Amino acid sequence: MAKFHSIFDIIGPIMIGPSSSHTAGAVRIGLASRAIFGEMPENVQITFFGSFAHTYKGHGTDLALIGGLLGLSTANPDLRYAYDRAKESGMKVKIVTSKEKMKHPNTAEVRMTRGSRTVSVTGISTGGGSIDLVEIDGFNVHVHNDNPVVLIFHMDRPGVIASVTHIIGKHRLNISQMEVSRKTKGKLALMLIATDGDIPDDTLEEISAVEHVVQIIDLSEIRREPDAAKALMAKGAAQ
Amino acid sequence: MRRVTTFSQIVRTCEEKKWKFADYFLHQEMEWRRRNGEDSSPETILEKMDINLRVMESSVKEGINGVQSYSGLTGYDATRLNTYRSEKASLGQSIYLDAVVNAIAINEVNASMGLICATPTAGSCGVVPGILLAAREHLKLNRRQQLDFLITSGGCGLMIGNLASISGAEGGCQAEIGSASGMAAAALAEAAGGSPRASSNALAIAIKGLLGLVCDPVASLVEVPCIKRNATGVVNAITAAEMALAGMLSRIPTDEVISAMYSVGQLMPSALRETALGGLAQTPTARRYTRELKQTGKITWQDSKKLPSSE
């Protein structure tokens, strides 16, 4: 089966060097973490595992991840100054490396805190700038950045899942992947829904009105992000 | 349009329709986008490619001005080469030297965390644009011809990626610099007025020249030997294009050369496929750099900011 379909898979992407897996992928993990946290964290602890732990310094993987947390795209030349930008934004960053063996060599855990609120996200860089998220706030997940993905935090009660999927089906959207996980019976649970097309905002609003739905996080940002690179270029950043 | 999967079929189609490779691959791209429900007009595709070309132009400019890698291991070599070209050029001016300056500039920008366009990868991003930006001066190519150069390169890379590999982790450096060199050779032969058959031969000759090249990045960085190998890919591509334009033919057909590259990648031990466990990456000096990088976050091999006076 053909792996590549478009000439732009070969001539492109436009990105900040030096490595699609250690730089562009790390930016995307940062962007995804920020989207999940929903606001600028005051404190961030980034833990690098495997190859990331060994080579993050030379590849600027730390800068890339911090840049992503600040909302910079994979093509933003400001990534180089991510530590300065973080300081200006009042975001304190701590980098830790771990010898713990992970399933994938390019793994990073991001722990974000603001006030009393803490959320952790673990992502892996799978190559060519693609990422998977494997853990969100203690829930094991499998999020790939190919499809539009929505995370729905909800109380573990009967009927919630059916109500949510009913709304999606009613709007004629096709679910391509779905995962449900919980840590404790009857407590907070996470529903992960990937769809073939973007879920419109009004549909998301309808879902958020469902009883026992606590929070909805739309991860389409991490997919739209390469377009941000194009927009940057169109504005003449290359001149 | 039927989706063909071999170079011999593409050459035959081009000969039947009196097309260049660029025409063929532009039609293929339009077809793919139409099927995918995307805007498939040639204008949109050319505009998108023009953005890539602008990034390539800006990378060359930035690299010649002088950049140092984020690790500190490499930098300012494009500036050195550019000064050498304008002040001495001991071996004379040539498209080779021009393309090498560009290729080193672009790959140094990549290592400095600057903005680049991957072609086909970040580590090999200097080869195709390095040659294009030199050839457009020497061959007086207009903007459309320059975009055709990238379309032909992209189409050839697509074929190589699907028939073999464009990843160093899968196929070694032959899959990255080797593929980039093959792509550029085909596009250069076409830009110089060669037939699709000449482009196909240029691609085969270029890939054969770098067959078996291993990926052995020092300290796991995309710097040594990657940056200078972009220059190797450039001269190999120009030479292959010259041979093909002279009518020389690859005795092994292009499709079989690409299959051979795939099988060499399969046979290559993983120590020589981007893991930094063999080759240059395991020399005593490379191990010292690796330790230093781990301990201090930087590599100091000399004050690379200081350009050597013309000794």
Side-chain angles (χ1 to χ4, degrees), chain A residues 11, chain B residues 52-53 55-57 59-60 98-100 102-103 106-107 116-121 124-136 149-150 153 180 183-184 230 234:
Chain A
I11 310 296
Chain B
N52 288 337
L53 179 51
V55 173
M56 295 167 187
E57 290 164 345
S59 312
V60 167
D98 291 346
V100 165
N102 296 337
I106 294 173
N107 220 249
I116 56 102
C117 177
T119 51
T121 60
S124 60
C125 69
V127 179
V128 168
I131 292 179
L132 168 56
L133 300 191
R136 72 176 182 185
F149 187 107
L150 292 176
S153 299
M183 290 154 56
N230 274 265
V234 157

PDB file of all heavy atoms in Angstrom, chain A residues 11, chain B residues 52-53 55-57 59-60 98-100 102-103 106-107 116-121 124-136 149-150 153 180 183-184 230 234:
ATOM      1  N   ILE A  11       7.857  17.296  -0.598  1.00  0.00           N
ATOM      2  CA  ILE A  11       8.358  18.674  -0.564  1.00  0.00           C
ATOM      3  C   ILE A  11       7.554  19.379   0.537  1.00  0.00           C
ATOM      4  O   ILE A  11       6.508  19.946   0.313  1.00  0.00           O
ATOM      5  CB  ILE A  11       8.182  19.389  -1.926  1.00  0.00           C
ATOM      6  CG1 ILE A  11       8.733  18.522  -3.069  1.00  0.00           C
ATOM      7  CG2 ILE A  11       8.853  20.764  -1.909  1.00  0.00           C
ATOM      8  CD1 ILE A  11      10.223  18.260  -3.038  1.00  0.00           C
TER       9      ILE A  11
ATOM     10  N   ASN B  52       6.642  26.920  -0.420  1.00  0.00           N
ATOM     11  CA  ASN B  52       7.815  26.092  -0.089  1.00  0.00           C
ATOM     12  C   ASN B  52       9.095  26.701  -0.666  1.00  0.00           C
ATOM     13  O   ASN B  52      10.132  26.749  -0.004  1.00  0.00           O
ATOM     14  CB  ASN B  52       7.639  24.672  -0.628  1.00  0.00           C
ATOM     15  CG  ASN B  52       6.604  23.879   0.143  1.00  0.00           C
ATOM     16  OD1 ASN B  52       6.317  24.186   1.307  1.00  0.00           O
ATOM     17  ND2 ASN B  52       6.033  22.869  -0.478  1.00  0.00           N
ATOM     18  N   LEU B  53       9.001  27.163  -1.925  1.00  0.00           N
ATOM     19  CA  LEU B  53      10.171  27.748  -2.586  1.00  0.00           C
ATOM     20  C   LEU B  53      10.644  28.997  -1.847  1.00  0.00           C
ATOM     21  O   LEU B  53      11.852  29.232  -1.687  1.00  0.00           O
ATOM     22  CB  LEU B  53       9.834  28.051  -4.055  1.00  0.00           C
ATOM     23  CG  LEU B  53      10.916  28.692  -4.928  1.00  0.00           C
ATOM     24  CD1 LEU B  53      12.239  27.925  -4.838  1.00  0.00           C
ATOM     25  CD2 LEU B  53      10.470  28.784  -6.379  1.00  0.00           C
ATOM     26  N   VAL B  55      10.377  29.594   1.313  1.00  0.00           N
ATOM     27  CA  VAL B  55      11.085  29.176   2.529  1.00  0.00           C
ATOM     28  C   VAL B  55      12.515  28.749   2.179  1.00  0.00           C
ATOM     29  O   VAL B  55      13.471  29.086   2.883  1.00  0.00           O
ATOM     30  CB  VAL B  55      10.338  28.020   3.241  1.00  0.00           C
ATOM     31  CG1 VAL B  55      11.157  27.476   4.395  1.00  0.00           C
ATOM     32  CG2 VAL B  55       8.992  28.512   3.749  1.00  0.00           C
ATOM     33  N   MET B  56      12.667  28.032   1.072  1.00  0.00           N
ATOM     34  CA  MET B  56      14.001  27.591   0.648  1.00  0.00           C
ATOM     35  C   MET B  56      14.906  28.800   0.403  1.00  0.00           C
ATOM     36  O   MET B  56      16.070  28.818   0.802  1.00  0.00           O
ATOM     37  CB  MET B  56      13.896  26.749  -0.641  1.00  0.00           C
ATOM     38  CG  MET B  56      13.144  25.441  -0.454  1.00  0.00           C
ATOM     39  SD  MET B  56      12.733  24.672  -2.037  1.00  0.00           S
ATOM     40  CE  MET B  56      11.697  23.314  -1.474  1.00  0.00           C
ATOM     41  N   GLU B  57      14.346  29.811  -0.270  1.00  0.00           N
ATOM     42  CA  GLU B  57      15.135  31.022  -0.549  1.00  0.00           C
ATOM     43  C   GLU B  57      15.577  31.696   0.755  1.00  0.00           C
ATOM     44  O   GLU B  57      16.719  32.124   0.893  1.00  0.00           O
ATOM     45  CB  GLU B  57      14.297  32.006  -1.389  1.00  0.00           C
ATOM     46  CG  GLU B  57      14.073  31.515  -2.818  1.00  0.00           C
ATOM     47  CD  GLU B  57      12.943  32.268  -3.542  1.00  0.00           C
ATOM     48  OE1 GLU B  57      12.147  32.965  -2.883  1.00  0.00           O
ATOM     49  OE2 GLU B  57      12.876  32.131  -4.784  1.00  0.00           O
ATOM     50  N   SER B  59      15.944  30.302   3.698  1.00  0.00           N
ATOM     51  CA  SER B  59      16.924  29.483   4.430  1.00  0.00           C
ATOM     52  C   SER B  59      18.333  29.707   3.890  1.00  0.00           C
ATOM     53  O   SER B  59      19.294  29.784   4.658  1.00  0.00           O
ATOM     54  CB  SER B  59      16.596  27.994   4.329  1.00  0.00           C
ATOM     55  OG  SER B  59      15.264  27.733   4.595  1.00  0.00           O
ATOM     56  N   VAL B  60      18.459  29.782   2.562  1.00  0.00           N
ATOM     57  CA  VAL B  60      19.783  29.989   1.972  1.00  0.00           C
ATOM     58  C   VAL B  60      20.358  31.322   2.435  1.00  0.00           C
ATOM     59  O   VAL B  60      21.518  31.412   2.865  1.00  0.00           O
ATOM     60  CB  VAL B  60      19.725  29.938   0.422  1.00  0.00           C
ATOM     61  CG1 VAL B  60      21.014  30.476  -0.185  1.00  0.00           C
ATOM     62  CG2 VAL B  60      19.486  28.512  -0.045  1.00  0.00           C
ATOM     63  N   ASP B  98      28.150  26.606  -6.484  1.00  0.00           N
ATOM     64  CA  ASP B  98      26.961  27.371  -6.106  1.00  0.00           C
ATOM     65  C   ASP B  98      25.959  26.486  -5.359  1.00  0.00           C
ATOM     66  O   ASP B  98      25.398  26.886  -4.335  1.00  0.00           O
ATOM     67  CB  ASP B  98      26.289  27.973  -7.357  1.00  0.00           C
ATOM     68  CG  ASP B  98      27.137  29.070  -7.990  1.00  0.00           C
ATOM     69  OD1 ASP B  98      28.094  29.531  -7.327  1.00  0.00           O
ATOM     70  OD2 ASP B  98      26.846  29.452  -9.140  1.00  0.00           O
ATOM     71  N   ALA B  99      25.741  25.291  -5.880  1.00  0.00           N
ATOM     72  CA  ALA B  99      24.761  24.388  -5.267  1.00  0.00           C
ATOM     73  C   ALA B  99      25.237  23.911  -3.895  1.00  0.00           C
ATOM     74  O   ALA B  99      24.439  23.742  -2.974  1.00  0.00           O
ATOM     75  CB  ALA B  99      24.492  23.203  -6.188  1.00  0.00           C
ATOM     76  N   VAL B 100      26.541  23.703  -3.761  1.00  0.00           N
ATOM     77  CA  VAL B 100      27.085  23.255  -2.476  1.00  0.00           C
ATOM     78  C   VAL B 100      26.921  24.354  -1.414  1.00  0.00           C
ATOM     79  O   VAL B 100      26.526  24.077  -0.277  1.00  0.00           O
ATOM     80  CB  VAL B 100      28.568  22.825  -2.627  1.00  0.00           C
ATOM     81  CG1 VAL B 100      29.253  22.710  -1.274  1.00  0.00           C
ATOM     82  CG2 VAL B 100      28.654  21.490  -3.365  1.00  0.00           C
ATOM     83  N   ASN B 102      24.615  26.619  -1.284  1.00  0.00           N
ATOM     84  CA  ASN B 102      23.193  26.640  -0.907  1.00  0.00           C
ATOM     85  C   ASN B 102      22.833  25.472   0.003  1.00  0.00           C
ATOM     86  O   ASN B 102      22.124  25.633   1.000  1.00  0.00           O
ATOM     87  CB  ASN B 102      22.311  26.556  -2.162  1.00  0.00           C
ATOM     88  CG  ASN B 102      22.469  27.756  -3.076  1.00  0.00           C
ATOM     89  OD1 ASN B 102      22.887  28.816  -2.629  1.00  0.00           O
ATOM     90  ND2 ASN B 102      22.142  27.585  -4.345  1.00  0.00           N
ATOM     91  N   ALA B 103      23.315  24.285  -0.366  1.00  0.00           N
ATOM     92  CA  ALA B 103      22.926  23.075   0.379  1.00  0.00           C
ATOM     93  C   ALA B 103      23.443  23.134   1.814  1.00  0.00           C
ATOM     94  O   ALA B 103      22.725  22.804   2.761  1.00  0.00           O
ATOM     95  CB  ALA B 103      23.459  21.829  -0.332  1.00  0.00           C
ATOM     96  N   ILE B 106      21.401  25.754   3.843  1.00  0.00           N
ATOM     97  CA  ILE B 106      20.068  25.299   4.259  1.00  0.00           C
ATOM     98  C   ILE B 106      20.178  24.303   5.403  1.00  0.00           C
ATOM     99  O   ILE B 106      19.447  24.383   6.393  1.00  0.00           O
ATOM    100  CB  ILE B 106      19.302  24.676   3.068  1.00  0.00           C
ATOM    101  CG1 ILE B 106      19.010  25.739   2.020  1.00  0.00           C
ATOM    102  CG2 ILE B 106      18.008  24.024   3.552  1.00  0.00           C
ATOM    103  CD1 ILE B 106      18.405  25.213   0.735  1.00  0.00           C
ATOM    104  N   ASN B 107      21.114  23.363   5.292  1.00  0.00           N
ATOM    105  CA  ASN B 107      21.179  22.355   6.353  1.00  0.00           C
ATOM    106  C   ASN B 107      21.752  22.905   7.643  1.00  0.00           C
ATOM    107  O   ASN B 107      21.434  22.407   8.731  1.00  0.00           O
ATOM    108  CB  ASN B 107      21.925  21.114   5.863  1.00  0.00           C
ATOM    109  CG  ASN B 107      21.240  19.856   6.375  1.00  0.00           C
ATOM    110  OD1 ASN B 107      21.778  19.150   7.215  1.00  0.00           O
ATOM    111  ND2 ASN B 107      20.018  19.614   5.933  1.00  0.00           N
ATOM    112  N   ILE B 116      12.914  25.670   7.765  1.00  0.00           N
ATOM    113  CA  ILE B 116      13.290  24.975   6.531  1.00  0.00           C
ATOM    114  C   ILE B 116      12.062  24.284   5.932  1.00  0.00           C
ATOM    115  O   ILE B 116      11.036  24.166   6.576  1.00  0.00           O
ATOM    116  CB  ILE B 116      14.389  23.908   6.771  1.00  0.00           C
ATOM    117  CG1 ILE B 116      13.949  22.882   7.845  1.00  0.00           C
ATOM    118  CG2 ILE B 116      15.705  24.554   7.191  1.00  0.00           C
ATOM    119  CD1 ILE B 116      13.486  21.574   7.340  1.00  0.00           C
ATOM    120  N   CYS B 117      12.240  23.825   4.691  1.00  0.00           N
ATOM    121  CA  CYS B 117      11.218  22.983   4.071  1.00  0.00           C
ATOM    122  C   CYS B 117      11.827  21.595   3.921  1.00  0.00           C
ATOM    123  O   CYS B 117      12.875  21.447   3.279  1.00  0.00           O
ATOM    124  CB  CYS B 117      10.822  23.564   2.713  1.00  0.00           C
ATOM    125  SG  CYS B 117       9.624  22.561   1.835  1.00  0.00           S
ATOM    126  N   ALA B 118      11.245  20.594   4.525  1.00  0.00           N
ATOM    127  CA  ALA B 118      11.775  19.225   4.433  1.00  0.00           C
ATOM    128  C   ALA B 118      11.681  18.729   2.992  1.00  0.00           C
ATOM    129  O   ALA B 118      10.654  18.883   2.350  1.00  0.00           O
ATOM    130  CB  ALA B 118      10.993  18.306   5.357  1.00  0.00           C
ATOM    131  N   THR B 119      12.793  18.179   2.443  1.00  0.00           N
ATOM    132  CA  THR B 119      12.801  17.688   1.053  1.00  0.00           C
ATOM    133  C   THR B 119      13.721  16.491   0.905  1.00  0.00           C
ATOM    134  O   THR B 119      14.844  16.684   0.513  1.00  0.00           O
ATOM    135  CB  THR B 119      13.289  18.770   0.066  1.00  0.00           C
ATOM    136  OG1 THR B 119      14.528  19.285   0.574  1.00  0.00           O
ATOM    137  CG2 THR B 119      12.338  19.877  -0.149  1.00  0.00           C
ATOM    138  N   PRO B 120      13.426  15.271   1.088  1.00  0.00           N
ATOM    139  CA  PRO B 120      12.149  14.815   1.629  1.00  0.00           C
ATOM    140  C   PRO B 120      12.132  14.855   3.156  1.00  0.00           C
ATOM    141  O   PRO B 120      11.075  14.803   3.752  1.00  0.00           O
ATOM    142  CB  PRO B 120      12.059  13.364   1.140  1.00  0.00           C
ATOM    143  CG  PRO B 120      13.479  12.909   1.030  1.00  0.00           C
ATOM    144  CD  PRO B 120      14.269  14.130   0.647  1.00  0.00           C
ATOM    145  N   THR B 121      13.303  14.963   3.798  1.00  0.00           N
ATOM    146  CA  THR B 121      13.361  15.002   5.260  1.00  0.00           C
ATOM    147  C   THR B 121      14.095  16.268   5.699  1.00  0.00           C
ATOM    148  O   THR B 121      14.648  16.989   4.874  1.00  0.00           O
ATOM    149  CB  THR B 121      14.127  13.784   5.813  1.00  0.00           C
ATOM    150  OG1 THR B 121      15.463  13.819   5.291  1.00  0.00           O
ATOM    151  CG2 THR B 121      13.468  12.473   5.389  1.00  0.00           C
ATOM    152  N   SER B 124      17.960  15.979   5.055  1.00  0.00           N
ATOM    153  CA  SER B 124      18.397  16.038   3.657  1.00  0.00           C
ATOM    154  C   SER B 124      17.802  17.242   2.945  1.00  0.00           C
ATOM    155  O   SER B 124      17.726  17.274   1.720  1.00  0.00           O
ATOM    156  CB  SER B 124      17.988  14.751   2.930  1.00  0.00           C
ATOM    157  OG  SER B 124      16.584  14.599   2.960  1.00  0.00           O
ATOM    158  N   CYS B 125      17.424  18.280   3.714  1.00  0.00           N
ATOM    159  CA  CYS B 125      16.653  19.389   3.129  1.00  0.00           C
ATOM    160  C   CYS B 125      17.490  20.339   2.288  1.00  0.00           C
ATOM    161  O   CYS B 125      16.950  21.278   1.720  1.00  0.00           O
ATOM    162  CB  CYS B 125      15.914  20.158   4.221  1.00  0.00           C
ATOM    163  SG  CYS B 125      17.006  21.085   5.326  1.00  0.00           S
ATOM    164  N   GLY B 126      18.820  20.109   2.188  1.00  0.00           N
ATOM    165  CA  GLY B 126      19.653  21.025   1.413  1.00  0.00           C
ATOM    166  C   GLY B 126      19.840  20.637  -0.049  1.00  0.00           C
ATOM    167  O   GLY B 126      20.200  21.476  -0.869  1.00  0.00           O
ATOM    168  N   VAL B 127      19.620  19.360  -0.372  1.00  0.00           N
ATOM    169  CA  VAL B 127      20.008  18.858  -1.699  1.00  0.00           C
ATOM    170  C   VAL B 127      19.151  19.451  -2.820  1.00  0.00           C
ATOM    171  O   VAL B 127      19.670  20.111  -3.725  1.00  0.00           O
ATOM    172  CB  VAL B 127      19.961  17.309  -1.738  1.00  0.00           C
ATOM    173  CG1 VAL B 127      20.351  16.808  -3.128  1.00  0.00           C
ATOM    174  CG2 VAL B 127      20.881  16.714  -0.680  1.00  0.00           C
ATOM    175  N   VAL B 128      17.847  19.206  -2.780  1.00  0.00           N
ATOM    176  CA  VAL B 128      16.972  19.644  -3.872  1.00  0.00           C
ATOM    177  C   VAL B 128      16.981  21.169  -4.018  1.00  0.00           C
ATOM    178  O   VAL B 128      17.264  21.697  -5.106  1.00  0.00           O
ATOM    179  CB  VAL B 128      15.536  19.080  -3.680  1.00  0.00           C
ATOM    180  CG1 VAL B 128      14.561  19.753  -4.634  1.00  0.00           C
ATOM    181  CG2 VAL B 128      15.534  17.569  -3.874  1.00  0.00           C
ATOM    182  N   PRO B 129      16.711  21.937  -2.950  1.00  0.00           N
ATOM    183  CA  PRO B 129      16.740  23.396  -3.121  1.00  0.00           C
ATOM    184  C   PRO B 129      18.139  23.927  -3.414  1.00  0.00           C
ATOM    185  O   PRO B 129      18.281  24.923  -4.125  1.00  0.00           O
ATOM    186  CB  PRO B 129      16.232  23.940  -1.788  1.00  0.00           C
ATOM    187  CG  PRO B 129      16.128  22.814  -0.858  1.00  0.00           C
ATOM    188  CD  PRO B 129      16.260  21.540  -1.594  1.00  0.00           C
ATOM    189  N   GLY B 130      19.170  23.258  -2.894  1.00  0.00           N
ATOM    190  CA  GLY B 130      20.537  23.688  -3.167  1.00  0.00           C
ATOM    191  C   GLY B 130      20.806  23.713  -4.659  1.00  0.00           C
ATOM    192  O   GLY B 130      21.364  24.677  -5.193  1.00  0.00           O
ATOM    193  N   ILE B 131      20.390  22.643  -5.337  1.00  0.00           N
ATOM    194  CA  ILE B 131      20.587  22.563  -6.785  1.00  0.00           C
ATOM    195  C   ILE B 131      19.644  23.507  -7.517  1.00  0.00           C
ATOM    196  O   ILE B 131      20.059  24.235  -8.426  1.00  0.00           O
ATOM    197  CB  ILE B 131      20.400  21.112  -7.267  1.00  0.00           C
ATOM    198  CG1 ILE B 131      21.538  20.246  -6.718  1.00  0.00           C
ATOM    199  CG2 ILE B 131      20.337  21.049  -8.791  1.00  0.00           C
ATOM    200  CD1 ILE B 131      21.456  18.798  -7.099  1.00  0.00           C
ATOM    201  N   LEU B 132      18.372  23.534  -7.089  1.00  0.00           N
ATOM    202  CA  LEU B 132      17.402  24.400  -7.780  1.00  0.00           C
ATOM    203  C   LEU B 132      17.853  25.861  -7.782  1.00  0.00           C
ATOM    204  O   LEU B 132      17.848  26.527  -8.824  1.00  0.00           O
ATOM    205  CB  LEU B 132      16.022  24.268  -7.113  1.00  0.00           C
ATOM    206  CG  LEU B 132      14.971  25.297  -7.528  1.00  0.00           C
ATOM    207  CD1 LEU B 132      14.744  25.299  -9.043  1.00  0.00           C
ATOM    208  CD2 LEU B 132      13.650  25.051  -6.805  1.00  0.00           C
ATOM    209  N   LEU B 133      18.271  26.369  -6.627  1.00  0.00           N
ATOM    210  CA  LEU B 133      18.607  27.791  -6.549  1.00  0.00           C
ATOM    211  C   LEU B 133      19.910  28.115  -7.285  1.00  0.00           C
ATOM    212  O   LEU B 133      20.138  29.262  -7.670  1.00  0.00           O
ATOM    213  CB  LEU B 133      18.664  28.254  -5.086  1.00  0.00           C
ATOM    214  CG  LEU B 133      17.355  28.098  -4.292  1.00  0.00           C
ATOM    215  CD1 LEU B 133      17.430  28.823  -2.964  1.00  0.00           C
ATOM    216  CD2 LEU B 133      16.144  28.579  -5.083  1.00  0.00           C
ATOM    217  N   ALA B 134      20.749  27.096  -7.512  1.00  0.00           N
ATOM    218  CA  ALA B 134      21.938  27.311  -8.344  1.00  0.00           C
ATOM    219  C   ALA B 134      21.564  27.196  -9.818  1.00  0.00           C
ATOM    220  O   ALA B 134      21.977  28.003 -10.655  1.00  0.00           O
ATOM    221  CB  ALA B 134      23.027  26.306  -7.991  1.00  0.00           C
ATOM    222  N   ALA B 135      20.742  26.183 -10.144  1.00  0.00           N
ATOM    223  CA  ALA B 135      20.375  25.936 -11.546  1.00  0.00           C
ATOM    224  C   ALA B 135      19.564  27.081 -12.124  1.00  0.00           C
ATOM    225  O   ALA B 135      19.672  27.392 -13.312  1.00  0.00           O
ATOM    226  CB  ALA B 135      19.588  24.632 -11.657  1.00  0.00           C
ATOM    227  N   ARG B 136      18.750  27.731 -11.285  1.00  0.00           N
ATOM    228  CA  ARG B 136      17.908  28.797 -11.843  1.00  0.00           C
ATOM    229  C   ARG B 136      18.750  29.971 -12.338  1.00  0.00           C
ATOM    230  O   ARG B 136      18.339  30.683 -13.247  1.00  0.00           O
ATOM    231  CB  ARG B 136      16.849  29.247 -10.840  1.00  0.00           C
ATOM    232  CG  ARG B 136      17.351  30.057  -9.669  1.00  0.00           C
ATOM    233  CD  ARG B 136      16.191  30.498  -8.822  1.00  0.00           C
ATOM    234  NE  ARG B 136      16.618  31.323  -7.705  1.00  0.00           N
ATOM    235  CZ  ARG B 136      15.788  31.756  -6.752  1.00  0.00           C
ATOM    236  NH1 ARG B 136      14.514  31.432  -6.797  1.00  0.00           N
ATOM    237  NH2 ARG B 136      16.241  32.495  -5.769  1.00  0.00           N
ATOM    238  N   PHE B 149      10.438  22.162 -11.270  1.00  0.00           N
ATOM    239  CA  PHE B 149      11.593  21.449 -10.714  1.00  0.00           C
ATOM    240  C   PHE B 149      11.182  20.776  -9.397  1.00  0.00           C
ATOM    241  O   PHE B 149      11.483  19.601  -9.150  1.00  0.00           O
ATOM    242  CB  PHE B 149      12.733  22.452 -10.477  1.00  0.00           C
ATOM    243  CG  PHE B 149      14.046  21.854 -10.061  1.00  0.00           C
ATOM    244  CD1 PHE B 149      15.120  21.796 -10.950  1.00  0.00           C
ATOM    245  CD2 PHE B 149      14.242  21.349  -8.772  1.00  0.00           C
ATOM    246  CE1 PHE B 149      16.349  21.247 -10.571  1.00  0.00           C
ATOM    247  CE2 PHE B 149      15.462  20.802  -8.385  1.00  0.00           C
ATOM    248  CZ  PHE B 149      16.509  20.751  -9.276  1.00  0.00           C
ATOM    249  N   LEU B 150      10.450  21.532  -8.565  1.00  0.00           N
ATOM    250  CA  LEU B 150      10.031  20.979  -7.272  1.00  0.00           C
ATOM    251  C   LEU B 150       8.940  19.925  -7.434  1.00  0.00           C
ATOM    252  O   LEU B 150       8.890  18.949  -6.683  1.00  0.00           O
ATOM    253  CB  LEU B 150       9.544  22.109  -6.348  1.00  0.00           C
ATOM    254  CG  LEU B 150      10.649  23.069  -5.883  1.00  0.00           C
ATOM    255  CD1 LEU B 150      10.050  24.198  -5.048  1.00  0.00           C
ATOM    256  CD2 LEU B 150      11.709  22.322  -5.072  1.00  0.00           C
ATOM    257  N   SER B 153      10.751  16.823  -8.555  1.00  0.00           N
ATOM    258  CA  SER B 153      11.457  16.270  -7.392  1.00  0.00           C
ATOM    259  C   SER B 153      10.472  15.580  -6.454  1.00  0.00           C
ATOM    260  O   SER B 153      10.714  14.463  -5.987  1.00  0.00           O
ATOM    261  CB  SER B 153      12.150  17.383  -6.591  1.00  0.00           C
ATOM    262  OG  SER B 153      13.094  18.043  -7.364  1.00  0.00           O
ATOM    263  N   ALA B 180      17.085  12.126  -1.969  1.00  0.00           N
ATOM    264  CA  ALA B 180      17.091  13.554  -2.324  1.00  0.00           C
ATOM    265  C   ALA B 180      17.948  13.774  -3.564  1.00  0.00           C
ATOM    266  O   ALA B 180      17.584  14.540  -4.464  1.00  0.00           O
ATOM    267  CB  ALA B 180      17.621  14.382  -1.157  1.00  0.00           C
ATOM    268  N   MET B 183      16.086  12.500  -6.631  1.00  0.00           N
ATOM    269  CA  MET B 183      15.004  13.427  -6.968  1.00  0.00           C
ATOM    270  C   MET B 183      15.556  14.655  -7.704  1.00  0.00           C
ATOM    271  O   MET B 183      15.020  15.088  -8.732  1.00  0.00           O
ATOM    272  CB  MET B 183      14.313  13.907  -5.678  1.00  0.00           C
ATOM    273  CG  MET B 183      13.486  12.853  -4.956  1.00  0.00           C
ATOM    274  SD  MET B 183      13.307  13.167  -3.163  1.00  0.00           S
ATOM    275  CE  MET B 183      12.610  14.815  -3.126  1.00  0.00           C
ATOM    276  N   ALA B 184      16.647  15.207  -7.146  1.00  0.00           N
ATOM    277  CA  ALA B 184      17.236  16.425  -7.713  1.00  0.00           C
ATOM    278  C   ALA B 184      17.843  16.149  -9.087  1.00  0.00           C
ATOM    279  O   ALA B 184      17.752  16.983  -9.993  1.00  0.00           O
ATOM    280  CB  ALA B 184      18.300  16.981  -6.765  1.00  0.00           C
ATOM    281  N   ASN B 230      24.854  16.621   2.605  1.00  0.00           N
ATOM    282  CA  ASN B 230      23.974  17.330   1.689  1.00  0.00           C
ATOM    283  C   ASN B 230      24.769  17.825   0.478  1.00  0.00           C
ATOM    284  O   ASN B 230      24.275  17.817  -0.646  1.00  0.00           O
ATOM    285  CB  ASN B 230      23.286  18.501   2.395  1.00  0.00           C
ATOM    286  CG  ASN B 230      22.011  18.079   3.110  1.00  0.00           C
ATOM    287  OD1 ASN B 230      20.919  18.197   2.565  1.00  0.00           O
ATOM    288  ND2 ASN B 230      22.145  17.542   4.313  1.00  0.00           N
ATOM    289  N   VAL B 234      24.447  16.745  -3.503  1.00  0.00           N
ATOM    290  CA  VAL B 234      24.367  17.752  -4.567  1.00  0.00           C
ATOM    291  C   VAL B 234      25.292  17.396  -5.739  1.00  0.00           C
ATOM    292  O   VAL B 234      24.861  17.321  -6.884  1.00  0.00           O
ATOM    293  CB  VAL B 234      24.746  19.149  -3.997  1.00  0.00           C
ATOM    294  CG1 VAL B 234      25.226  20.083  -5.089  1.00  0.00           C
ATOM    295  CG2 VAL B 234      23.553  19.751  -3.268  1.00  0.00           C
TER     296      VAL B 234
END
